[in-house]
């Protein structure tokens, strides 16, 4: 059986999914797993398509000390599971820079070009590229496809992708890119099946996970995003502040004596829901807490989503629909209710029972905008792209 492996590599975890290629250029999920706790408490877990546990094993930090070791261990296990014949590997790569608006077959030259974008995504890009290099060394004949989180937004017009800074910086790549593009692309693909008329219209999609952003879709195309140059802008996130006056960064540097590395660690790891609540970056824990600071962080999150919805509504010239997705968007009826309440001025009205049950359509019949909950599937999007890039080789 020919299969496509999808890899999403982060600093301390390696997420992977295995898809069988099917006639008609379709893919079917076989396996889903992750190796987390790399270098600390490594644990490899995987489930089959029916949810049955296929693997659950701890390793010592010496056995899985870094990302290349994690790839090796995962690859060994996958090989041992039987008759999987890999046709290609699809990777999530956070930054495609100004150059890439489509997934690409990665060559050593392309890998070098992608490494140039490391300064644009210092915490994500190196981890995304490391497995590609490792696998290329082990299996140079195996096609590897890079799918970019920025690509879906590359059609943004100049008003959306500029900062008000001198043009030379824009020319060298200091632009508003937008991220979570694979998630938005999946939603844009899914919407015509769920709500064909709405898919032609003006839709705001809120991807609310540990990273969070919103995207304005006009007829299924991204026209504006709350994220910009890095994954720090826009909405508050689990541990990132979202939009912040650059003056605060200057204050940290000049008054608090922090150097650039300390500011970077602070902005990526210590802010957002975690910083604001002083308790946790996890929405489930905040919702379960009785602490006033947890309640404030939740209210702040909903408020900023609504503020950004106003901005995206202006970019679209009105709104026909709103979609919630990702961990919080798909699972937190409370956040959905609070955001919708703040969008009453746009004519949004919730159907509380449908929202509590997490149904697909959660707006009431009187609502002037249709509100949906759609689970995202970035890995499926990567598998589809990978299949499209390698073409018939997937079945040879
Ligand atoms: P990522 O893929 O970026 O790590 P996810 O899309 O998995 O993030 O989202 C993680 C977030 O979703 C966490 O803040 C988590 O608390 C939240 N979440 C997951 N399930 C629920 C739930 N039932 N209620 C509220 N929040 C939830």
């Amino acid at each position: 059986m020919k299969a496509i492996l999808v890899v999403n590599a982060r600093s301390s975890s390696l997420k992977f999914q295995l898809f069988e290629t099917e006639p008609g250029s379709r893919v079917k999920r076989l396996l889903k797993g992750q190796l987390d706790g790399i270098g600390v408490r490594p644990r490899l877990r995987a489930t089959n398509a029916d949810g049955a546990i296929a693997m659950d094993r701890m390793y010592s930090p010496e056995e899985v000390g870094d990302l290349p070791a994690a790839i090796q261990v995962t690859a060994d296990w996958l090989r041992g599971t039987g008759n999987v014949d890999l046709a290609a590997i699809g990777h999530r790569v956070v930054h495609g820079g100004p150059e890439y608006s489509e997934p690409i077959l990665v060559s050593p030259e392309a890998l070098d070009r992608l490494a140039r974008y490391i300064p644009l995504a210092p915490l994500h890009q190196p981890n995304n590229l490391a497995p590609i290099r490792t696998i290329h060394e082990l299996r140079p004949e195996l096609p590897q496809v890079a799918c970019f989180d920025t690509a879906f937004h590359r059609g943004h017009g100049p008003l959306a992708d500029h900062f008000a800074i001198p043009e030379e910086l824009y020319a060298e790549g200091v632009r508003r890119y937008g991220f979570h593009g694979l998630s938005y692309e999946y939603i844009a693909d899914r919407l015509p099946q769920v709500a064909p008329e709405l898919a032609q219209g003006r839709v705001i999609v809120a991807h609310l996970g540990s990273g969070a952003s919103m995207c304005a879709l006009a007829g299924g195309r991204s026209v504006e995003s709350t994220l910009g140059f890095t994954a720090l802008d826009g909405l508050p996130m689990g541990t990132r502040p979202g939009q912040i006056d650059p003056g605060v960064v200057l204050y940290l540097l000049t008054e608090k004596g922090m150097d650039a590395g300390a500011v970077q660690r602070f902005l990526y790891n210590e802010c957002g829901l975690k910083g604001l609540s002083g308790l946790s970056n996890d929405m489930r824990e905040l919702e379960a807490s009785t602490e006033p600071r947890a309640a404030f962080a939740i209210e702040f999150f909903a408020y900023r989503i609504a503020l950004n919805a106003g901005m995206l509504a202006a970019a679209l010239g009105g709104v026909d629909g709103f979609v919630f997705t990702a961990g919080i968007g798909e699972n937190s009826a409370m956040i959905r209710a609070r955001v919708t309440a703040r969008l009453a001025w746009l004519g949004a009205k919730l159907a509380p029972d449908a929202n509590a049950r997490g149904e697909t359509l959660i707006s009431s019949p009187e609502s002037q905008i249709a509100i949906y909950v759609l689970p995202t599937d970035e890995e499926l999007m990567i598998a589809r792209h990978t299949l499209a890039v390698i073409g018939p080789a997937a079945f040879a």
Side-chain angles (χ1 to χ4, degrees):
M1 170 211 320
K2 284 279 184 186
I4 287 174
L5 179 66
V6 171
V7 171
N8 183 359
R10 300 167 181 223
S11 57
S12 64
S13 72
L14 180 76
K15 289 189 181 179
F16 59 91
Q17 296 196 16
L18 195 66
F19 293 84
E20 181 181 357
T21 57
E22 293 187 319
S25 295
R26 294 218 313 264
V27 291
K28 187 173 123 200
R29 197 180 328 260
L30 299 172
L31 250 173
K32 186 176 184 166
Q34 66 184 66
L35 203 168
D36 49 27
I38 295 172
V40 191
R41 281 172 58 84
R43 181 176 182 186
L44 175 61
R45 281 177 291 181
T47 49
N48 294 324
D50 57 9
I53 293 171
M55 169 66 162
D56 190 353
R57 188 188 149 180
M58 303 288 299
Y59 294 84
S60 71
E62 293 74 36
E63 281 174 293
V64 188
D66 55 17
L67 208 44
I71 293 161
Q72 191 71 59
V73 163
T74 305
D76 287 348
W77 174 68
L78 281 172
R79 244 193 317 277
T81 58
N83 60 352
V84 174
D85 181 9
L86 277 191
I89 302 187
H91 297 265
R92 178 187 195 164
V93 175
V94 70
H95 225 300
E99 198 170 352
Y100 296 112
S101 55
E102 299 282 341
I104 57 160
L105 189 64
V106 189
S107 61
E109 297 74 41
L111 206 48
D112 289 341
R113 281 204 296 283
L114 292 174
R116 291 207 310 256
Y117 304 133
I118 288 175
L120 308 193
L123 300 192
H124 296 92
Q125 193 85 343
N127 295 317
N128 299 156
L129 300 185
I132 306 183
R133 264 191 220 287
T134 305
I135 293 164
H136 185 74
E137 280 158 20
L138 297 171
R139 299 268 314 266
E141 79 294 350
L142 190 62
Q144 299 195 73
V145 174
C147 302
F148 305 106
D149 255 329
T150 47
F152 186 61
H153 303 294
R154 294 301 301 129
H156 284 186
L159 289 177
D161 81 351
H162 269 74
F163 291 109
I165 55 175
E167 192 65 13
E168 303 88 84
L169 284 165
Y170 177 87
E172 70 178 60
V174 185
R175 305 178 186 188
R176 296 189 66 244
Y177 291 95
F179 298 89
H180 298 129
L182 291 157
S183 174
Y184 294 124
E185 189 179 10
Y186 175 81
I187 298 294
D189 268 11
R190 182 91 183 91
L191 214 46
Q193 296 151 25
V194 178
E197 211 172 306
L198 180 63
Q200 305 297 316
R202 302 161 298 182
V203 180
I204 295 175
V205 186
H207 174 107
L208 310 176
S210 42
S213 74
M214 292 160 75
C215 173
L217 292 179
R221 283 189 319 108
S222 169
V223 296
E224 183 57 273
S225 161
T226 60
L227 277 172
F229 180 57
T230 65
L232 283 172
D233 206 357
L235 301 180
M237 311 183 205
T239 57
R240 291 169 256 166
Q243 185 195 7
I244 191 165
D245 182 337
V248 175
V249 177
L250 295 175
Y251 179 85
L252 296 175
L253 290 167
T254 58
E255 301 302 317
K256 305 301 280 185
M258 292 165 83
D259 62 16
V263 172
Q264 177 169 296
R265 284 190 293 281
F266 177 76
L267 292 174
Y268 277 95
N269 301 322
E270 301 301 331
C271 299
L273 298 174
K274 180 183 171 190
L276 206 50
S277 69
L279 295 168
S280 171
N281 61 339
D282 190 315
M283 186 55 82
R284 280 167 295 202
E285 286 181 30
L286 297 180
E287 287 190 9
S289 170
T290 53
E291 289 279 330
R293 288 178 308 168
F296 180 72
I298 291 171
E299 200 52 43
F300 184 86
F301 187 60
Y303 172 64
R304 299 303 302 192
I305 294 166
L307 276 187
N308 279 271
M311 178 183 87
L312 297 182
L316 289 166
V319 185
D320 304 307
F322 193 101
V323 177
F324 289 96
T325 193
I328 299 171
E330 291 166 27
N331 295 299
S332 175
M334 191 234 254
I335 289 291
R336 294 194 299 257
R338 289 186 186 213
V339 171
T340 308
R342 288 184 176 277
L343 299 181
W345 64 277
L346 279 170
K349 197 163 187 309
L350 201 65
D353 291 346
N355 182 45
R357 286 193 296 267
E359 288 179 9
T360 303
L361 179 65
I362 59 166
S363 48
S364 78
E366 312 89 80
S367 184
Q368 286 167 42
I369 59 176
I371 307 173
Y372 285 90
V373 180
L374 296 179
T376 194
D377 199 336
E378 290 152 297
E379 287 78 13
L380 180 65
M381 206 65 234
I382 295 171
R384 285 185 188 154
H385 279 311
T386 303
L387 183 55
V389 168
I390 64 167
F395 306 98

